[in-house]
mmCIF file of all heavy atoms in Angstrom:
data_model
loop_
_atom_site.group_PDB
_atom_site.id
_atom_site.type_symbol
_atom_site.label_atom_id
_atom_site.label_comp_id
_atom_site.label_asym_id
_atom_site.label_seq_id
_atom_site.Cartn_x
_atom_site.Cartn_y
_atom_site.Cartn_z
ATOM 1 N N ALA A 68 -28.590 8.985 -4.383
ATOM 2 C CA ALA A 68 -29.525 10.083 -4.471
ATOM 3 C C ALA A 68 -29.004 11.311 -5.192
ATOM 4 O O ALA A 68 -29.747 12.015 -5.874
ATOM 5 C CB ALA A 68 -29.970 10.508 -3.049
ATOM 6 N N HIS A 69 -27.683 11.551 -5.120
ATOM 7 C CA HIS A 69 -27.132 12.761 -5.677
ATOM 8 C C HIS A 69 -25.735 12.491 -6.279
ATOM 9 O O HIS A 69 -25.002 11.653 -5.707
ATOM 10 C CB HIS A 69 -26.947 13.868 -4.606
ATOM 11 C CG HIS A 69 -28.190 14.155 -3.869
ATOM 12 N ND1 HIS A 69 -29.213 14.873 -4.399
ATOM 13 C CD2 HIS A 69 -28.577 13.828 -2.608
ATOM 14 C CE1 HIS A 69 -30.205 14.959 -3.507
ATOM 15 N NE2 HIS A 69 -29.871 14.352 -2.425
ATOM 16 N N PRO A 70 -25.357 13.167 -7.328
ATOM 17 C CA PRO A 70 -23.988 13.034 -7.853
ATOM 18 C C PRO A 70 -22.973 13.508 -6.808
ATOM 19 O O PRO A 70 -23.246 14.351 -5.972
ATOM 20 C CB PRO A 70 -23.962 13.978 -9.056
ATOM 21 C CG PRO A 70 -25.361 14.156 -9.454
ATOM 22 C CD PRO A 70 -26.173 14.043 -8.161
ATOM 23 N N LEU A 71 -21.774 12.861 -6.844
ATOM 24 C CA LEU A 71 -20.726 13.239 -5.931
ATOM 25 C C LEU A 71 -20.153 14.584 -6.368
ATOM 26 O O LEU A 71 -20.095 14.855 -7.591
ATOM 27 C CB LEU A 71 -19.604 12.201 -5.957
ATOM 28 C CG LEU A 71 -19.931 10.829 -5.409
ATOM 29 C CD1 LEU A 71 -18.728 9.899 -5.619
ATOM 30 C CD2 LEU A 71 -20.249 10.917 -3.930
ATOM 31 N N PRO A 72 -19.684 15.375 -5.390
ATOM 32 C CA PRO A 72 -18.974 16.570 -5.846
ATOM 33 C C PRO A 72 -17.611 16.185 -6.480
ATOM 34 O O PRO A 72 -16.716 15.739 -5.775
ATOM 35 C CB PRO A 72 -18.801 17.331 -4.523
ATOM 36 C CG PRO A 72 -18.927 16.325 -3.448
ATOM 37 C CD PRO A 72 -19.784 15.226 -3.995
ATOM 38 N N SER A 73 -17.513 16.317 -7.772
ATOM 39 C CA SER A 73 -16.333 15.818 -8.482
ATOM 40 C C SER A 73 -15.053 16.512 -8.022
ATOM 41 O O SER A 73 -13.983 15.882 -8.087
ATOM 42 C CB SER A 73 -16.511 15.961 -9.998
ATOM 43 O OG SER A 73 -16.747 17.304 -10.286
ATOM 44 N N GLU A 74 -15.141 17.698 -7.519
ATOM 45 C CA GLU A 74 -13.950 18.367 -7.042
ATOM 46 C C GLU A 74 -13.285 17.715 -5.849
ATOM 47 O O GLU A 74 -12.107 17.810 -5.593
ATOM 48 C CB GLU A 74 -14.169 19.879 -6.767
ATOM 49 C CG GLU A 74 -15.113 20.146 -5.568
ATOM 50 C CD GLU A 74 -16.570 20.149 -5.940
ATOM 51 O OE1 GLU A 74 -16.991 19.781 -7.069
ATOM 52 O OE2 GLU A 74 -17.401 20.493 -5.076
ATOM 53 N N PHE A 75 -14.046 16.900 -5.101
ATOM 54 C CA PHE A 75 -13.521 16.168 -3.986
ATOM 55 C C PHE A 75 -12.651 15.000 -4.455
ATOM 56 O O PHE A 75 -11.726 14.615 -3.765
ATOM 57 C CB PHE A 75 -14.626 15.586 -3.105
ATOM 58 C CG PHE A 75 -15.201 16.533 -2.126
ATOM 59 C CD1 PHE A 75 -15.562 17.832 -2.440
ATOM 60 C CD2 PHE A 75 -15.440 16.103 -0.800
ATOM 61 C CE1 PHE A 75 -16.076 18.674 -1.497
ATOM 62 C CE2 PHE A 75 -15.958 16.981 0.107
ATOM 63 C CZ PHE A 75 -16.286 18.293 -0.220
ATOM 64 N N PHE A 76 -12.973 14.414 -5.604
ATOM 65 C CA PHE A 76 -12.316 13.175 -6.044
ATOM 66 C C PHE A 76 -11.413 13.434 -7.269
ATOM 67 O O PHE A 76 -11.225 12.568 -8.070
ATOM 68 C CB PHE A 76 -13.407 12.130 -6.366
ATOM 69 C CG PHE A 76 -14.226 11.751 -5.198
ATOM 70 C CD1 PHE A 76 -15.371 12.410 -4.850
ATOM 71 C CD2 PHE A 76 -13.806 10.696 -4.395
ATOM 72 C CE1 PHE A 76 -16.127 12.052 -3.738
ATOM 73 C CE2 PHE A 76 -14.553 10.327 -3.265
ATOM 74 C CZ PHE A 76 -15.692 10.992 -2.977
ATOM 75 N N ARG A 77 -10.862 14.634 -7.384
ATOM 76 C CA ARG A 77 -10.111 14.953 -8.562
ATOM 77 C C ARG A 77 -8.695 14.434 -8.594
ATOM 78 O O ARG A 77 -8.068 14.329 -9.641
ATOM 79 C CB ARG A 77 -10.140 16.488 -8.815
ATOM 80 C CG ARG A 77 -9.392 17.244 -7.745
ATOM 81 C CD ARG A 77 -9.476 18.779 -8.034
ATOM 82 N NE ARG A 77 -8.828 19.429 -6.943
ATOM 83 C CZ ARG A 77 -9.452 20.216 -6.115
ATOM 84 N NH1 ARG A 77 -10.697 20.513 -6.347
ATOM 85 N NH2 ARG A 77 -8.836 20.808 -5.134
ATOM 86 N N TYR A 78 -8.096 14.125 -7.427
ATOM 87 C CA TYR A 78 -6.748 13.605 -7.359
ATOM 88 C C TYR A 78 -6.835 12.114 -7.048
ATOM 89 O O TYR A 78 -7.377 11.730 -6.025
ATOM 90 C CB TYR A 78 -5.906 14.279 -6.280
ATOM 91 C CG TYR A 78 -5.678 15.731 -6.577
ATOM 92 C CD1 TYR A 78 -6.416 16.690 -5.907
ATOM 93 C CD2 TYR A 78 -4.752 16.128 -7.510
ATOM 94 C CE1 TYR A 78 -6.196 18.054 -6.162
ATOM 95 C CE2 TYR A 78 -4.563 17.482 -7.783
ATOM 96 C CZ TYR A 78 -5.276 18.416 -7.119
ATOM 97 O OH TYR A 78 -5.117 19.763 -7.363
ATOM 98 N N SER A 79 -6.323 11.294 -7.965
ATOM 99 C CA SER A 79 -6.468 9.833 -7.767
ATOM 100 C C SER A 79 -5.359 9.136 -8.540
ATOM 101 O O SER A 79 -4.923 9.556 -9.553
ATOM 102 C CB SER A 79 -7.815 9.373 -8.295
ATOM 103 O OG SER A 79 -7.984 7.992 -8.108
ATOM 104 N N THR A 80 -4.942 8.012 -7.980
ATOM 105 C CA THR A 80 -4.016 7.139 -8.733
ATOM 106 C C THR A 80 -4.781 6.108 -9.541
ATOM 107 O O THR A 80 -4.188 5.282 -10.195
ATOM 108 C CB THR A 80 -3.038 6.390 -7.710
ATOM 109 O OG1 THR A 80 -3.854 5.641 -6.844
ATOM 110 C CG2 THR A 80 -2.140 7.372 -7.002
#
Side-chain angles (χ1 to χ4, degrees):
H69 306 286
L71 293 176
S73 59
E74 66 274 8
F75 276 47
F76 296 90
R77 66 179 175 246
Y78 295 103
S79 179
T80 58

